Structure formats: C-alpha cells, structure tokens
Amino acid sequence: MKDFSIARRRMVEDQVVARGVRDTRVIDAMLQVPRHKFVEEALESQAYQDAPLPIGERQTISQPYMVAVMSEALALDGTEKVLEVGTGSGYQAAVLAVLADQVFSLERIPALARRARKALDSCGYSKVNIRLADGTLGWQEMAPFDAIVVTAGAPDVPRDYLDQLAVGGRLVIPVGDRMSQVLMRITRTSEHEFKEEQLLGCRFVPLVGNHGWRDERA
Ligand code: SAM
C-alpha cells in the first residue's frame, strides 16, 4: 500500500497554509482525509497536486485550495448540521464530516453518488448522508442548516438555500456564468436579513437543475 502522508502534508503546507488559510480545524481535517481515495486509481499519484482532477461524467474533484477556502468560509466548530450540494467524489463531504456534526450531501448523477458512497464508507465517513436529487432545491426535510456549501457554479442564488439556512447560518456558493464565478458567502443575520460577501474569483462546473443551468446534454 502506498503511503501518501508526505504528499498530503506538502499539499496542506504549500497550497493551503502558504496561501493564507488559518482555520486549524480545516488544516487538521485536510491532513487527515486521504484525498487519493476519492479519485480513480490511475490518478492516485496526482491527487495531492494543486489542481482539480476529472472524476468521470465530465465532473471534477475540486482543487485542494478551493476545498480549504470553502470549508474555512463556513466557520464550523463541530456542532453544525451542514448541507453540501454537489457530492462529486465525496472528498469535500469527508472534510465536512471531520469539521461538523451532521453532513447531508446532494448529487444529481447516479454513478458519482454511488462511487462517493463507496469511497466515504471505505474511509470511515459513513455518517455522511447522500441523496440523489436536484440539489438546486436544497433538502427541505432536513432544514434548517447551519451551513450550506455549493460546489458547482450557479447563475444566481437559489431562493431555497436562503429559506433553508438557520438564522446565523452561512451559505458559500460560486455565482456567475458557466465559465467563471465569484465565491460568495451569504450569512443569515436575522429571519429576513442576509449579509453578502465576495470572497474570490473561481471556476466551477455548472450547477445544473431547476434553479441552476440547463443540462447541455439534454
Ligand atoms: N464536492 C465535490 C468533491 O469534493 O469532489 C466536487 C464537486 S464537482 C466540482 C460538482 C458536482 O456538482 C458534480 O458532481 C455535479 O454532478 C454536481 N451537481 C451539479 N448540479 C447539481 C445539482 N443540481 N444537484 C446536485 N449536484 C449537482
């Protein structure tokens, strides 16, 4: 069995800490989660590189730095109920499983949801709940959430996410066009008030669904 712990430490030092991520819980989580288990075997040796990687179905596992920034922006202390939209490989969900109490994750592509389930179980992150569904509608039955993270680029902020956020809760979502977006953090400051912050430019695959982009293959 290959030992990736040195590559993982280097990834965290060079790509995460060196670029300004300070949340020690995020740093520890990324030192723990075996990222190479969330890509296909042929790509294992690239799993700790500073880049997104293909996971099939024209989708990607996000760049490690982006996972770190999004996780830090959620400001988790371990007590939260979190919703992720876009399970993909399951890697971000595994990081969230270390950082929060309950994790719910939505994926629209069956093959990815199946593979993510397998990877999460084999690494001991069975507490992550995955549902195959259009994530642009959120997960109404499990709301409210203390944090929502969307790992695909949205044309706008879907109303359901705001409705399903607890007061004090944080929504982190890339918003823009199909090619490039701005990572936004929206905090629900009271029942009817939200504070918006722009964090950084980014580039995600499209959020496809009812309140997202149209599926170009359909
Ligand atoms: N978080 C993932 C990871 O750690 O590997 C990376 C996610 S990938 C950049 C974006 C994912 O969002 C893809 O798996 C895609 O199928 C999914 N997606 C896009 N639109 C969606 C929707 N409406 N509902 C659920 N998942 C969606």
Side-chain angles (χ1 to χ4, degrees):
M1 209 170 56
K2 282 176 236 150
D3 181 8
F4 286 97
S5 57
I6 294 173
R8 189 153 58 246
R9 176 160 290 281
R10 201 164 288 152
M11 170 192 86
V12 171
E13 284 170 1
D14 298 351
Q15 301 171 36
V16 174
V17 177
R19 289 192 188 134
V21 172
R22 291 285 169 265
D23 185 331
T24 53
R25 297 186 69 252
V26 171
I27 293 166
D28 287 346
M30 292 186 68
L31 283 171
Q32 264 177 57
V33 178
R35 185 171 159 94
H36 62 281
K37 298 279 192 198
F38 294 86
V39 298
E40 62 184 79
E41 223 173 320
L43 294 179
E44 264 190 5
S45 61
Q46 296 174 49
Y48 296 96
Q49 290 179 3
D50 188 13
L53 289 173
I55 55 172
E57 312 289 331
R58 304 201 309 176
Q59 305 302 322
T60 53
I61 177 174
S62 305
Q63 180 194 22
Y65 173 64
M66 200 45 74
V67 173
V69 165
M70 292 178 110
S71 303
E72 182 171 64
L74 295 172
L76 301 170
D77 66 15
T79 59
E80 296 85 356
K81 182 173 14 162
V82 180
L83 174 67
E84 177 194 30
V85 179
T87 315
S89 67
Y91 175 70
Q92 169 82 73
V95 171
L96 293 172
V98 178
L99 293 173
D101 180 26
Q102 298 177 63
V103 182
F104 297 86
S105 186
L106 294 166
E107 175 55 57
R108 62 182 285 273
I109 300 179
L112 295 182
R114 271 197 305 276
R115 259 181 265 151
R117 176 76 279 154
K118 247 187 167 164
L120 286 162
D121 287 345
S122 77
C123 296
Y125 303 110
S126 300
K127 80 174 193 184
V128 174
N129 299 280
I130 298 178
R131 186 197 222 183
L132 190 63
D134 175 4
T136 65
L137 306 171
W139 194 329
Q140 181 57 49
E141 306 89 295
M142 295 302 161
F145 296 99
D146 303 300
I148 300 178
V149 60
V150 183
T151 66
D156 297 295
V157 179
R159 180 73 227 175
D160 289 307
Y161 297 163
L162 302 177
D163 292 342
Q164 293 177 25
L165 207 54
V167 171
R170 286 81 58 201
L171 163 64
V172 172
I173 179 170
V175 181
D177 58 34
R178 276 181 176 265
M179 294 306 291
S180 68
Q181 306 87 30
V182 173
L183 189 65
M184 314 269 304
R185 174 167 58 188
I186 298 169
T187 306
R188 186 169 199 167
T189 51
S190 73
E191 196 55 38
H192 301 292
E193 288 166 308
F194 295 86
K195 181 179 96 179
E196 246 182 57
E197 295 161 274
Q198 299 196 351
L199 303 181
L200 75 165
C202 54
R203 198 186 169 111
F204 279 85
V205 294
L207 180 73
V208 174
N210 217 310
H211 299 306
W213 296 101
R214 215 160 22 95
D215 187 351
E216 283 196 322
R217 287 176 302 178

